[in-house]
């Protein structure tokens, strides 16, 4: 990636378009509530999450 650092903005634009078009899909696991942070963190080590691990603490 460092070899193409000067093309970073171009890359971000293209990846964003692909996500919007559904060509790139991603997964995220959302745990609700600050009190569940320890559970969410430990889930990272047990394989309980898929993709990105998020903790929602407010609306």
């Amino acid at each position: 990636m460092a070899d193409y650092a000067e093309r970073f903005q171009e890359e971000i634009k293209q990846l964003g378009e692909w996500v919007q078009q559904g060509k790139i899909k991603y997964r995220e696991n959302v745990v609700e509530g600050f009190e569940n942070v320890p559970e969410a963190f430990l889930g990272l080590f047990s394989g309980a999450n898929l993709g990105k691990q998020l903790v929602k603490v407010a609306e």
Side-chain angles (χ1 to χ4, degrees):
M1 187 170 155
D3 291 341
Y4 300 98
E6 72 278 356
R7 296 180 68 185
F8 181 75
Q9 292 302 319
E10 176 186 348
E11 172 185 324
I12 293 300
K13 182 179 179 223
Q14 183 65 69
L15 288 170
E17 290 175 10
W18 287 341
V19 169
Q20 288 178 340
Q21 295 168 357
K23 293 179 178 180
I24 295 179
K25 299 183 192 286
Y26 62 92
R27 294 182 179 182
E28 59 186 23
N29 186 53
V30 180
V31 175
E32 300 222 10
F34 188 75
E35 66 278 3
N36 294 316
V37 167
E39 172 191 330
F41 181 72
L42 292 174
L44 294 171
F45 303 105
S46 66
N49 69 307
L50 294 173
K52 184 178 284 194
Q53 176 68 58
L54 303 170
V55 177
K56 183 176 181 180
V57 294
E59 290 206 28

